[in-house]
């Protein structure tokens, strides 16, 4: 059933495909050039979106909005080197952005499940990186549910030459890990969440 305010079906438009999209901004370079300026403008747009889908009762607790980026290979290569991790060439690895329990034992159990899923799918575990965060501006409700943010780096198996097949493998790894954590008895397992796991894009929230 269409909304009375929607225009009628015409040409390529069909009101049946209408979806709500509160607070979405899109910034891109028409020549597909990566730059810090695009990220800067995206963050500026994000700050100016007062309502992005849900607002909390506190002015400093919101909906956990974020940005989707092309894989920032040079940045990740530099940052992971600080932790002694050497990344392969762009496209030869995937990055998972993970929200994990703050409890160290629960977090280690979740990470072990992720690592098992990687190995079970025949891919290579390259290592982990803790993402620097700041909760200085968060309200008490947000702080109460604040996860530990970590990135997992997954190398493409030598025999997997097709990029699309690698992306599908990463999706399967994500779903296996999510289902295994959900079915486990790990305390704080409800704080496990995977915003992204891809070799092409990454989500910072």
């Amino acid at each position: 059933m269409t909304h009375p305010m929607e225009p009628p079906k015409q040409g390529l438009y069909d009101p049946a495909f209408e979806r709500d999209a509160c607070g979405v901004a899109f910034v891109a370079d028409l020549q597909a050039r990566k730059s810090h300026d695009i990220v800067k403008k995206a963050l500026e747009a994000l700050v100016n979106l007062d309502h992005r889908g849900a607002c909390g009762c506190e002015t400093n607790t919101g909906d956990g909005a974020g940005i989707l980026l092309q894989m920032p290979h040079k940045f990740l290569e530099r940052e992971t080197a600080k932790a002694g991790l050497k990344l392969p060439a762009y496209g030869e690895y995937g990055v998972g952005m993970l929200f994990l329990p703050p409890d160290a034992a629960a977090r280690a159990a979740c990470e072990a499940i992720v690592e098992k899923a990687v190995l079970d799918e025949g891919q290579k575990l390259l290592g982990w990186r803790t993402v620097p965060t700041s909760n200085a501006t968060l309200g008490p409700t947000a702080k109460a549910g604040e996860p530990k943010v970590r990135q997992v780096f997954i190398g493409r198996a030598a025999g997997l030459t097709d990029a699309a097949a690698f992306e599908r493998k990463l999706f399967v790894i994500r779903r296996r890990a999510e289902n295994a954590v959900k079915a486990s008895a790990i305390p704080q397992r409800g704080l496990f969440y995977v915003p992204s796991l891809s070799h092409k894009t990454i989500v910072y929230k």
Side-chain angles (χ1 to χ4, degrees):
M1 183 180 213
T2 60
H3 191 277
M5 296 299 290
E6 291 173 354
K9 181 177 179 180
Q10 54 186 313
L12 296 176
Y13 174 78
D14 186 338
F17 296 112
E18 284 287 349
R19 299 289 185 273
D20 288 335
C22 287
V24 174
F26 188 81
V27 182
D29 184 289
L30 294 179
Q31 278 73 49
R33 294 169 298 194
K34 298 178 183 179
S35 74
H36 178 69
D37 186 58
I38 293 175
V39 177
K40 185 178 177 182
K41 288 175 179 173
L43 291 173
E44 182 181 351
L46 192 63
V47 168
N48 287 312
L49 290 172
D50 182 57
H51 178 55
R52 298 180 294 250
C55 295
C57 56
E58 302 156 353
T59 57
N60 47 7
T61 294
D63 55 5
I67 59 173
L68 170 71
L69 309 167
Q70 287 175 285
M71 190 64 70
H73 174 65
K74 290 182 180 178
F75 169 77
L76 291 173
E77 191 175 43
R78 182 180 71 243
E79 293 302 309
T80 53
K82 296 175 183 177
L85 176 63
K86 182 171 175 55
L87 294 180
Y90 174 77
E92 293 300 312
Y93 67 95
V95 181
M97 183 71 80
L98 277 69
F99 288 178
L100 296 159
D103 177 75
R107 183 166 64 251
C110 289
E111 289 177 357
I113 286 176
V114 172
E115 292 176 3
K116 184 178 185 305
V118 171
L119 299 178
D120 285 350
E121 289 300 318
Q123 305 310 299
K124 296 178 285 188
L125 178 73
L126 300 177
W128 293 84
R129 171 181 179 249
T130 299
V131 180
T133 59
S134 172
N135 64 5
T137 61
L138 297 183
T141 303
K143 284 182 180 178
E146 183 182 5
K148 188 80 169 178
V149 184
R150 299 259 283 158
Q151 290 170 331
V152 61
F153 295 86
I154 302 167
R156 187 200 295 203
L160 198 60
T161 57
D162 181 69
F166 183 43
E167 191 72 4
R168 287 192 295 272
K169 277 287 185 185
L170 295 173
F171 176 77
V172 172
I173 289 168
R174 173 181 178 168
R175 295 301 294 149
R176 286 185 68 156
E178 288 173 334
N179 290 336
V181 170
K182 185 178 180 180
S184 75
I186 297 172
Q188 300 183 335
R189 63 187 174 277
L191 290 177
F192 178 86
Y193 178 67
V194 186
S196 67
L197 178 52
S198 171
H199 82 284
K200 299 184 294 184
T201 59
I202 189 168
V203 172
Y204 273 88
K205 293 178 72 70

